[in-house]
Amino acid sequence: MSHDHLLDLLKRHPDQYVSGAMMSQELKVSRTAVWKQIRKLEAAGYEIEASTKLGYRLVYSPDKLSSDMLTGPGTAARFGQTVHYYEQVKSTQDSARELAESGAPEGTLVLAEEQTGGRGRMGRGWVSPQGKGIWMSMVMRPHVPIHCAPQLTLLTAVALCRSLRRLTQLPIGIKWPNDLLIHRKKISGILLESAAEDERLKYIIAGIGISVNLSEGDYPEELLVKATSLRIEAGQPFNRRQIVTEFLQEWETLYDLFLQEGFSAIAALWESLSVSIGQKVRLVTPQGELEGTPVGLDESGAIRIERADGSLVTIFSAEMGEPLSRS
């Protein structure tokens, strides 16, 4: 018996419990074999509720992604037109970098159902279970100077925030520089890594992790105070394919705007979505800690901080803490 046979049985009884005895009898296997296949389904992203008296009930089925999911009308012109899809990789970021080094064109996308070694900023791990989130990295080849790379990080955050707000109607905001939050809990991480040659960007690998349909049980308990998912916040699952399609369209539109007109329009959009501006915060910088209130971005994408004495300081790299006061 494969877990597909068990899944078919559960799907034939939507929103109902199926007893272990019935499963065992219909599938002609032992209850132990049924239990083992249940575990395999859960590892593949399915959620199955178990009751000692009633049996098993299918609660959630992951929507499957694919390598041809972004072709046809309504998709971005360049971003995602070539998709490398994997059931499991160590890191989509590593896979995309290998493709970039071998000459993959701009817009090449690596998409995985599961990462075993996903990472965020500053080398942190990233919870990325199978079938429940969007774990992706894209090759970008912008013809801009090296110093523009941080601006593209902010641009990516704006594109993701705008597309997710439209689709989910959730109050998503951006914490500098590029974390997406709902009620101060993180739902997405963005990591841009670049390679340069002769003072020009050779390529950028933009990694995006979106916690779409994760449940509370997918997170270590200690992360639940600072991480969440779109499904947890909305009380309903979302179609991952639609999210990827909408995001890539928005991303490509803003990217073209940036290449044609510069960073100022992107900066204004970022500031309108920021949850950091106007909130007194503590920042940990390479030079030490400081407190102040973010007031906006400068032309490079750095954050401008107003100190208690009214002076302004520009921060290019820092870890921003929780607001120290509410506005």
Side-chain angles (χ1 to χ4, degrees), residues 67-71 75-84 106-109 138 244 248 252:
S67 59
D68 60 354
M69 58 178 276
L70 298 173
T71 57
T75 58
R78 302 187 312 285
F79 286 12
Q81 287 304 297
T82 300
V83 179
H84 294 260
E106 180 169 76
T108 299
L109 185 70
M138 192 170 68
V244 174
L248 292 181
E252 185 171 288

Side-chain angles (χ1 to χ4, degrees), residues 20 23 30 33 46 48 80 105 220 227 239 267 291 304 306:
M23 288 181 174
S30 68
Y46 293 88
I48 299 169
N239 184 288
E291 290 185 5
R304 293 182 294 120
E306 183 177 354

Side-chain angles (χ1 to χ4, degrees), residues 160-272:
L160 184 56
C161 189
R162 282 165 59 91
S163 58
L164 288 179
R165 283 171 70 113
R166 280 198 304 270
L167 282 171
T168 69
Q169 301 299 305
L170 289 167
I172 303 169
I174 307 172
K175 173 186 169 185
W176 187 83
N178 56 14
D179 286 346
L180 266 59
L181 308 181
I182 304 175
H183 305 130
R184 299 193 181 187
K185 292 186 177 183
K186 188 170 177 176
I187 56 103
S188 176
I190 296 169
L191 175 66
L192 266 66
E193 297 174 313
S194 59
E197 198 172 73
D198 298 327
E199 296 302 310
R200 304 285 295 184
L201 285 169
K202 184 180 175 185
Y203 62 78
I204 289 177
I205 306 300
I208 295 96
I210 312 169
S211 298
V212 182
N213 290 324
L214 281 73
S215 65
E216 286 92 341
D218 291 312
Y219 292 98
E221 189 173 345
E222 65 272 14
L223 281 184
L224 285 173
V225 296
K226 56 184 178 181
T228 189
S229 73
L230 299 176
R231 177 184 172 194
I232 291 171
E233 295 301 318
Q236 67 179 60
F238 291 93
N239 184 288
R240 293 182 299 155
R241 180 182 301 225
Q242 184 181 17
I243 288 174
V244 174
T245 301
E246 292 272 346
F247 168 46
L248 292 181
Q249 286 180 291
E250 181 74 19
W251 197 4
E252 185 171 288
T253 297
L254 294 183
Y255 181 70
D256 288 342
L257 176 66
F258 167 77
L259 294 178
Q260 292 164 12
E261 300 185 16
F263 181 62
S264 59
I266 306 301
L269 290 172
W270 187 96
E271 290 174 351
S272 72

